[in-house]
Amino acid sequence: MKRLSIIIVTYKSENDIYDCLTSIRNHSDIATEELELIIVDNSPESDKMFKTVRQRFGDDILLIKNTRNGGYGQGNNIGIRMAKAPVTLIMNPDVRLMEPVFLTALKAFEKDSQLSMYGMKQMLSPTEPSTNSFACTNMMNGYLATILTAISNRIDHYFARFMYFSGSCFFIRKQMFEEIGLFDDDIFMYGEEDDIHHRMKKRLGCHMTYNPHLHYIHLTKERKPDLEYEKRVFNSVCAMLQKKEYPKESFINNRLQSINLQLWREQLRTAIGKGNPSLLNMLKDFRKYLKTLD
């Protein structure tokens, strides 16, 4: 019987997926027959990657070629609907497990029937923690959200009422996820975590848990500041919030507040010789962009 289904959505992910699968195989702490691996590929061409996966990892992995690139959420929904286990692990291809995590998470779900989501501590490397294990909802005041997110990640204190887990790697109970409608297919990418948290939080009789003693690596350390990326994230989250009738003006104001704090921090770091000029310039340009929308 399957206890855990891992869903990985890929898009031109050959540089990541093999190491990702190797980390799963090396750190799995449940029986092989209890684990289900599902890869949904949104790329234009999947045959080469699928062939290599078969050669390296065998025929047990369910490989699905998406008929269209409907985005991250739509791809995950295809995999979740095929999944047989009661608990699903949503996982990005650029995530690496660094220790066994499955059994601890599964025991938590099996012990508590009202547990809906289970998060872990995100790392940038085996020794360097990330500050993105979870974040405050985009509907919160930007100053408060930025400060609370930063402090809470550093002290590993998760507030389930206000905070969503990083979408790169989290466990969720399949039945409850299906009851709230799975991922929103209209969100192509970015903002899914806040949306899922918002809908799951409204479901009566369920809660979310964060375990800072379980870790995974998300390979984002080498990412460079990117204005166009920030714009895409902003526009996607904005569209998601408007579906919830959260005013666009309020979200713009929240983001401006957050950017102002980040700019102050980076300017202070620059003054003591530890700043990142690329990040500082990107933040200034992003603030200008937001002000054109205000």
Side-chain angles (χ1 to χ4, degrees):
M1 186 178 92
K2 302 299 182 186
R3 295 174 70 190
L4 176 66
S5 299
I6 302 177
I7 314 296
I8 305 173
V9 173
T10 54
Y11 181 81
K12 299 182 179 180
S13 302
E14 283 196 78
N15 292 334
D16 284 310
I17 189 60
Y18 310 128
D19 287 343
C20 177
L21 293 173
T22 297
S23 78
I24 292 171
R25 183 176 62 185
N26 289 346
H27 295 292
S28 177
D29 54 357
I30 62 175
T32 302
E33 61 270 18
E34 296 176 329
L35 178 63
E36 179 179 46
L37 270 168
I38 301 174
I39 297 175
V40 181
D41 188 61
N42 287 348
S43 307
E45 215 296 310
S46 304
D47 291 347
K48 180 183 176 183
M49 186 184 79
F50 282 0
K51 181 179 179 180
T52 304
V53 168
R54 291 280 187 229
Q55 291 172 343
R56 294 189 185 183
F57 302 97
D59 297 327
D60 292 336
I61 301 175
L62 178 58
L63 303 175
I64 301 172
K65 166 62 181 172
N66 202 348
T67 56
R68 65 184 180 93
N69 182 11
Y72 182 71
Q74 185 261 351
N76 271 300
N77 286 343
I78 290 175
I80 294 165
R81 292 187 180 105
M82 297 290 291
K84 299 173 183 175
V87 177
T88 300
L89 174 59
I90 304 297
M91 191 172 181
N92 283 8
D94 60 351
V95 163
R96 307 288 181 266
L97 295 184
M98 53 186 292
E99 62 197 16
V101 299
F102 302 153
L103 190 57
T104 300
L106 289 174
K107 285 182 176 179
F109 279 99
E110 291 162 0
K111 182 179 180 180
D112 183 356
S113 63
Q114 297 306 308
L115 178 59
S116 60
M117 298 178 69
Y118 192 90
M120 302 177 289
K121 187 174 182 66
Q122 184 180 119
M123 305 288 288
L124 296 175
S125 72
T127 58
E128 185 178 359
S130 167
T131 56
N132 292 312
S133 298
F134 46 80
C136 288
T137 174
N138 290 282
M139 290 177 274
M140 182 182 288
N141 172 280
Y143 292 126
L144 177 59
T146 303
I147 294 171
L148 188 58
T149 294
I151 293 174
S152 296
N153 271 276
R154 281 172 173 79
I155 65 174
D156 286 323
H157 192 89
Y158 169 71
F159 294 93
R161 180 178 178 184
F162 307 113
M163 296 173 170
Y164 56 85
F165 297 127
S166 167
S168 60
C169 191
F170 66 93
F171 294 89
I172 193 163
R173 192 183 298 275
K174 182 184 177 185
Q175 180 183 347
M176 290 183 177
F177 201 12
E178 289 175 327
E179 288 173 1
I180 67 165
L182 301 177
F183 283 88
D184 184 341
D185 279 355
D186 291 336
I187 302 175
F188 187 84
M189 189 175 289
Y190 313 122
E192 306 95 338
E193 310 103 311
D194 199 359
D195 174 59
I196 292 168
H197 174 266
H198 179 79
R199 288 185 283 127
M200 189 66 81
K201 187 177 64 174
K202 292 169 63 177
R203 185 190 183 280
L204 295 178
C206 70
H207 58 268
M208 303 142 191
T209 294
Y210 168 70
N211 187 341
H213 304 297
L214 298 182
H215 309 79
Y216 66 92
I217 298 172
H218 191 202
L219 299 177
T220 58
K221 185 176 180 179
E222 302 304 320
R223 288 184 184 176
K224 306 298 182 184
D226 186 339
L227 177 62
E228 294 307 313
Y229 167 81
E230 296 297 334
K231 288 180 180 179
R232 290 194 298 270
V233 173
F234 172 84
N235 290 325
S236 180
V237 174
C238 189
M240 179 271 292
L241 292 177
Q242 286 184 285
K243 289 180 66 174
K244 294 174 172 43
E245 300 183 349
Y246 187 77
K248 180 178 180 179
E249 296 77 14
S250 296
F251 177 49
I252 293 173
N253 190 52
N254 291 345
R255 291 298 288 128
L256 280 170
Q257 291 170 343
S258 176
I259 292 298
N260 287 337
L261 269 184
Q262 293 177 65
L263 271 170
W264 175 82
R265 179 195 62 193
E266 200 56 35
Q267 286 166 346
L268 182 62
R269 286 173 55 84
T270 299
I272 61 175
K274 296 184 178 181
N276 181 336
S278 296
L279 177 58
L280 183 61
N281 290 331
M282 187 279 291
L283 290 170
K284 289 179 179 178
D285 290 341
F286 189 38
R287 183 170 63 177
K288 289 179 184 177
Y289 170 73
L290 292 174
K291 284 184 173 295
T292 65
L293 306 175
D294 198 4

